[in-house]
Amino acid sequence: MTAHSRNRLTARFGRSRTIALLAAGALAAGGLAAVGVTGLEPGTAQASSHREAPLISGQPQYDTTDVYAFVSPDRPDTTTLVANWIPFEDPAGGPNFYKFADDAQYDIHIDNDGDAQGDYLYRWTFRDHLRNKKTFLYNTGPVTSLDDPDLNFFQTYDIDLFRLHNQQVTGRYKVADDVPVAPSNVGKASMPDYNVLRQQAVKDLGRGTTAFAGQSDDPFFLDLRVFDLLYGGNLSEVGDDTLKGYNVNTIALQVPTAAIRQSAKQPVVGIWSTTQRRTANGDWAQVSRLGMPLVNEVVNPLKDKDRFNASSPWNDAQFLKNVTHPELPRLIEGIYKIKAPATPRDDLVQVFLTGVPKLNQPPHVRPSEMLRLNTAVPPTAKPKRLGVLDGDNAGFPNGRRLGDDVVDIALQVVEGELVGSKNDLGDAVNANDQAFGASFPYVALPASGSDGPLAKPATNSAQTNGVTQLNGGGLLTGGGDDNTVLIASAASGGAGVLLIGAALLWWRMRRSPAGRRAHGRA
């Protein structure tokens, strides 16, 4: 972005930057409109969101929040796939913390020939394990390893790889069997060195494949207050990373690129995730779908959102009307007087439906919404948050890296960046609050229950010189271990109960005849 364009937009940036999310929806809408232009059969599209549809908002274990796909920066002969579930995990949200559903199939699909149908499907299934049912505790002591007996509840998972042709299974291979999941980061007393648990959950599966499943910091960064009627019609409060301090449940897989692409001459792959949930009659039903970010969140109206989550890429046309005449740009124009782009938005077809020619568009592509990654584009040592818009072809919309600022990219493209209307719009949240890792699985460690978004540091009134609210203001003598403290607290509590009980007994004896007699009164 040039200095001129920045200056040109400064005057209106104050009111414009906060429409990023909304414009991202418009962007997706334009993309879907393009589907209609190309004349696909009636079908559906896909979404990337937190609580974006009525049904899935009540089923967080099945709710995909984001999908990422990129050439591994430290292993450029491999591709890394990351998908997240369970939005807005408060790290202190116990005593039942966050687990993958054991009645679900978590899938990542790969289309390597551009026909909008999956050629490979990686499927994660999870199992619950409970060591002691006679306690309310998630962990019965400090957990120092994944096989620590103090980890009372834990999960393991399998990964199956399916080879498909016209959605028929032609082959199946067990990639992982009974691999442990990294637990929720309960807090410093329970998980004193969470990084050890993270590292133990990274598993080399052989054949160049590495896997991880467990809790992580939510890598998506943006200001979500947009839903308060576009920041309440007042853009002075933008720039808060609403997801700061919240966690998600992550599955990540690093595979040899040669294993998933069609060939060295056709290196472009399309990627999306789905969640299948077992129904009451034992069948499987798709309840979540996600490829490009933000689509179902701000493009489809309420009446279509659940259907959208149950749809497939090869039918991406049934929401055409929502896309060709999207609500969002009209809403922005109505509140902030920013003129909505002309419709239909055919200029967005290449970026969001077919891939960009000579970058990430496969030959004979069938327009459909999914992340498209040219695996032949090498990673860069200095990624730029605006990706392709800023000359970094290894970033979004060529796949999606963890640090890509998809909100700002989407906004700028929606506002005409590709058709000569240069702009510098954004939501003023340009990076994640936690640094990403330099090696697989790259996602940041989860916030712990000790320092989540709602945690507050101890104050002088709450904890001073060993006086805490837990011990009722009484000082605990030093030299004892943790058990001593617990026993002391319990004893203190017990003494309180005894005193109250004695007082009640004394009061009842004074009022009852027997009591009065016992005290020598007629």
Side-chain angles (χ1 to χ4, degrees):
M1 184 56 56
T2 65
H4 171 73
S5 62
R6 286 193 174 88
N7 294 334
R8 176 168 57 86
L9 291 167
T10 297
R12 69 166 178 158
F13 182 68
R15 65 172 181 168
S16 301
R17 60 180 180 171
T18 53
I19 65 173
L21 295 178
L22 301 175
L27 173 63
L32 289 173
V35 175
V37 173
T38 57
L40 290 178
E41 297 289 332
T44 54
Q46 61 193 16
S48 165
S49 297
H50 299 57
R51 298 173 50 81
E52 84 283 0
L55 287 179
I56 203 62
S57 65
Q59 307 173 56
Q61 285 181 303
Y62 314 88
D63 186 359
T64 320
T65 63
D66 283 283
V67 171
Y68 303 83
F70 50 90
V71 177
S72 310
D74 56 333
R75 293 183 61 196
D77 61 336
T78 67
T79 296
T80 295
L81 313 171
V82 177
N84 298 325
W85 279 264
I86 314 179
F88 297 106
E89 294 181 2
D90 188 308
N96 295 294
F97 288 89
Y98 306 97
K99 73 182 192 73
F100 294 96
D102 61 357
D103 64 345
Q105 296 172 336
Y106 298 92
D107 297 340
I108 292 182
H109 307 252
I110 299 174
D111 168 20
N112 67 7
D113 57 14
D115 66 354
Q117 300 194 53
D119 299 290
Y120 296 104
L121 186 155
Y122 288 97
R123 171 163 293 164
W124 283 254
T125 52
F126 293 83
R127 287 183 293 277
D128 297 346
H129 303 274
L130 184 62
R131 289 190 167 97
N132 180 6
K133 296 182 179 180
K134 297 181 179 179
T135 176
F136 66 88
L137 293 168
Y138 182 81
N139 56 290
T140 54
V143 176
T144 58
S145 66
L146 291 184
D147 60 356
D148 193 320
D150 284 329
L151 183 59
N152 193 35
F153 175 83
F154 64 98
Q155 290 191 295
T156 57
Y157 67 94
D158 293 351
I159 305 175
D160 291 286
L161 170 62
F162 297 86
R163 293 183 175 85
L164 306 171
H165 180 70
N166 292 331
Q167 294 309 301
Q168 299 297 315
V169 176
T170 61
R172 180 173 181 172
Y173 171 71
K174 178 70 75 176
V175 178
D177 184 17
D178 211 29
V179 177
V181 176
S184 294
N185 192 359
V186 175
K188 294 176 182 176
S190 295
M191 316 282 178
D193 190 348
Y194 191 86
N195 188 47
V196 170
L197 306 180
R198 159 65 65 83
Q199 294 305 317
Q200 291 180 358
V202 175
K203 290 296 182 183
D204 182 349
L205 302 177
R207 301 188 181 188
T209 299
T210 311
F212 166 79
Q215 196 178 43
S216 66
D217 170 76
D218 191 335
F220 195 25
F221 51 90
L222 81 170
D223 193 330
L224 271 172
R225 199 186 165 226
V226 65
F227 298 110
D228 184 14
L229 291 183
L230 311 189
Y231 293 98
N234 180 352
L235 302 179
S236 64
E237 298 181 4
V238 300
D240 293 329
D241 183 359
T242 317
L243 299 178
K244 178 180 179 180
Y246 288 102
N247 296 327
V248 290
N249 273 26
T250 293
I251 60 173
L253 190 68
Q254 192 169 66
V255 298
T257 297
I260 59 172
R261 70 186 181 190
Q262 187 179 55
S263 67
K265 293 183 178 180
Q266 203 309 89
V268 177
V269 294
I271 295 162
W272 73 98
S273 74
T274 58
T275 312
Q276 318 278 338
R277 183 176 189 181
R278 189 181 292 280
T279 64
N281 61 11
D283 295 332
W284 294 98
Q286 181 181 314
V287 296
S288 181
R289 175 189 169 202
L290 196 152
M292 297 288 281
L294 297 170
V295 175
N296 206 21
E297 195 164 37
V298 293
V299 174
N300 286 320
L302 287 169
K303 67 181 182 66
D304 289 338
K305 288 180 180 292
D306 293 327
R307 185 156 50 98
F308 187 86
N309 268 338
S311 64
S312 300
W314 52 89
N315 291 320
D316 277 347
Q318 63 179 301
F319 302 109
L320 175 61
K321 187 176 180 180
N322 305 339
V323 178
T324 53
H325 299 84
E327 176 186 9
L328 180 61
R330 299 196 305 273
L331 187 62
I332 295 171
E333 184 174 281
I335 295 177
Y336 294 110
K337 312 305 178 187
I338 300 173
K339 187 174 178 56
T343 56
R345 298 298 307 277
D346 294 344
D347 59 301
L348 302 176
V349 173
Q350 293 178 348
V351 173
F352 295 97
L353 291 176
T354 66
V356 179
K358 299 182 180 179
L359 177 59
N360 62 345
Q361 183 181 112
H364 314 296
V365 62
R366 178 186 177 109
S368 56
E369 191 187 32
M370 60 181 69
L371 282 176
R372 296 188 189 278
L373 172 65
N374 184 344
T375 59
V377 177
T380 177
K382 296 181 179 180
K384 297 180 179 178
R385 70 178 182 89
L386 295 181
V388 175
L389 282 185
D390 201 14
D392 177 6
N393 287 345
F396 186 79
N398 182 29
R400 182 184 178 187
R401 300 170 299 197
L402 295 171
D404 287 337
D405 193 345
V406 297
V407 172
D408 287 14
I409 295 170
L411 173 60
Q412 293 178 24
V413 172
V414 164
E415 293 298 304
E417 183 77 22
L418 301 180
V419 291
S421 297
K422 301 297 183 182
N423 65 82
D424 197 21
L425 303 180
D427 69 345
V429 180
N430 297 336
N432 191 44
D433 62 298
Q434 298 294 322
F436 298 120
S439 60
F440 183 84
Y442 307 106
V443 289
L445 293 177
S448 81
S450 308
D451 56 10
L454 302 181
K456 296 180 180 178
T459 63
N460 290 336
S461 61
Q463 183 172 3
T464 303
N465 296 327
V467 178
T468 73
Q469 294 174 341
L470 280 179
N471 62 25
L475 282 172
L476 298 174
T477 56
D481 56 17
D482 291 345
N483 289 336
T484 302
V485 174
L486 290 174
I487 292 169
S489 299
S492 175
V497 170
L498 287 174
L499 287 173
I500 294 172
L504 288 173
L505 179 61
W506 172 81
W507 182 80
R508 293 184 61 183
M509 290 179 67
R510 282 175 57 85
R511 292 182 59 83
S512 68
R516 288 194 294 271
R517 286 194 296 273
H519 285 76
R521 297 178 181 179

